[in-house]
Amino acid sequence: MADGKRRAIIEGLVLVIISTLLARVGVAQLIFIAPLLLFAVSHGRKNAILLIVLEFFLLTAINLAMSEGLPSTKEEWALFLIVLYIPLSLSAAGITWLVTSGMGLMKRLFMSLLLPAIFLGAISAFIVTDRALSSLLFEEFRNAFAVMLGPVFGELFPSIDMDVLSYIVIVGILSFLMPVLFCGVCASAFIYETAKHSRESEWEEAVMRFSFPSDAVWGFIISWALVLLLRFVSVPVAVPVIVLNAAGVWTVIYAIQGFSIVYARVRKHSSNVRSMTVLIVLLLLGTVVPGINFIVLFGLPLLGVLGNFFDLKKLGVGNEDHS
């Protein structure tokens, strides 16, 4: 075996191990495809896609082993599909990102969400069209929720109805599932693109000058206007869930533009700072530091939106349009 192939196999195995560990550790699973995308930098997109497929089948096998074999009932299949949703969706998004190379950024971002949205719709339809199955799954979640958090809520709110609380939590999770998934896709894609362009001096300038088309802000405005409108209109629960997901996705999009503004301002004072360093600092502030995380999570999208109306970067040159 040639030394190059041996090194590629060893590197691929190491990345698969890292990816598998990330996929098993809480919120880190949202970026488990990042190491696999990095394989494309040195070994090409086709090999990286094969590695992503291999990793998905490995995660599937691990889940099957933990559940002691293939599901045998409809309820078990539904739970199995729910468990596999995030790895399946992120794997599909990673492959989509690789095969859409050369397209505009906004198109790539929305295309990366297409298959996850389809998967979510298919799993939801599989569950909600069977009333008995829906009831069984709700009871499973309610019991698990009561065991984990029931004593806490029982002390704080003695008269709380666990059925109502469980329903609110389920709707809340579904309402923000796509934006959370989208954050993982964006972070993984940025890690990959930064590594891919690490030897290009223009990359940091491109990040600093990046902006979405000015008319894209209407997607953000309309989606959140619909969220407010639905507070006063009685509609099936699926409608606000879909609208909240859309509004959340647009919020993440403008958080990207907000990040570009922050990075541009930082570079005005320190030209040696890298965009990845700024991203890591913002992620730590947004997830670890109480109080500051609120500012980061809401401030970045707000900055991004305001950037459509005011020159917050003040670079002295026209912003580059990556749409």
Side-chain angles (χ1 to χ4, degrees):
M1 184 182 294
D3 289 342
K5 287 187 177 180
R6 185 180 293 109
R7 283 196 298 270
I9 290 174
I10 293 173
E11 182 181 339
L13 288 174
V14 170
L15 292 176
V16 164
I17 291 171
I18 294 172
S19 179
T20 303
L21 292 174
L22 289 173
R24 308 299 301 178
V25 183
V27 73
Q29 67 180 308
L30 293 174
I31 58 167
F32 88 90
I33 59 167
L36 308 176
L37 291 174
L38 292 177
F39 195 69
V41 176
S42 302
H43 305 287
R45 287 182 295 171
K46 290 184 179 179
N47 290 322
I49 290 171
L50 288 175
L51 204 64
I52 292 173
V53 173
L54 173 64
E55 172 66 17
F56 171 70
F57 281 119
L58 176 60
L59 293 175
T60 302
I62 291 173
N63 281 301
L64 284 173
M66 292 178 65
S67 60
E68 300 180 352
L70 281 171
S72 57
T73 66
K74 202 170 183 180
E75 181 187 1
E76 290 177 353
W77 271 111
L79 290 171
F80 183 64
L81 291 173
I82 291 171
V83 169
L84 280 184
Y85 174 72
I86 289 180
L88 175 62
S89 296
L90 290 176
S91 297
I95 292 172
T96 302
W97 188 264
L98 291 174
V99 300
T100 56
S101 178
M103 292 186 180
L105 178 59
M106 184 166 283
K107 290 179 182 178
R108 294 180 78 185
L109 290 173
F110 279 115
M111 288 185 70
S112 69
L113 280 182
L114 179 61
L115 287 176
I118 292 173
F119 297 153
L120 180 60
I123 294 172
S124 300
F126 175 70
I127 295 172
V128 300
T129 53
D130 188 325
R131 188 177 295 273
L133 177 61
S134 300
S135 299
L136 281 172
L137 291 176
F138 179 78
E139 191 63 27
E140 288 271 356
F141 178 85
R142 183 201 178 285
N143 292 338
F145 189 75
V147 170
M148 291 187 294
L149 297 176
V152 176
F153 282 99
E155 289 185 12
L156 295 175
F157 311 103
S159 61
I160 195 166
D161 187 329
M162 289 303 298
D163 285 345
V164 174
L165 183 60
S166 299
Y167 178 79
I168 292 172
V169 171
I170 292 173
V171 172
I173 292 172
L174 291 175
S175 297
F176 295 99
L177 183 57
M178 294 304 293
V180 170
L181 205 68
F182 195 36
C183 287
V185 173
C186 292
S188 299
F190 184 75
I191 292 170
Y192 162 67
E193 295 294 340
T194 300
K196 179 181 176 182
H197 299 286
S198 60
R199 298 182 180 179
E200 301 174 13
S201 59
E202 298 86 2
W203 170 250
E204 298 297 329
E205 293 293 322
V207 174
M208 185 170 59
R209 287 172 165 77
F210 173 79
S211 65
F212 287 113
S214 58
D215 57 355
V217 74
W218 286 107
F220 177 91
I221 293 172
I222 292 172
S223 61
W224 279 108
L226 287 174
V227 170
L228 293 175
L229 176 64
L230 291 176
R231 291 176 59 88
F232 307 101
V233 180
S234 179
V235 293
V237 68
V239 176
V241 166
I242 293 171
V243 172
L244 276 168
N245 272 287
V249 167
W250 277 107
T251 300
V252 175
I253 284 175
Y254 276 95
I256 296 172
Q257 186 160 298
F259 167 74
S260 177
I261 293 170
V262 170
Y263 181 53
R265 301 297 299 181
V266 170
R267 284 279 293 229
K268 282 178 67 70
H269 301 285
S270 180
S271 59
N272 294 324
V273 177
R274 311 284 291 183
S275 57
M276 184 58 71
T277 303
V278 176
L279 177 63
I280 291 171
V281 171
L282 289 175
L283 287 175
L284 289 174
L285 291 175
T287 56
V288 176
V289 184
I292 300 296
N293 52 11
F294 180 85
I295 297 174
V296 173
L297 293 174
F298 290 91
L300 282 181
L302 180 60
L303 268 180
V305 172
L306 291 175
N308 280 273
F309 307 101
F310 307 99
D311 184 9
L312 300 180
K313 296 180 181 180
K314 296 183 180 178
L315 299 174
V317 294
N319 290 347
E320 183 179 350
D321 185 353
H322 285 242
S323 62

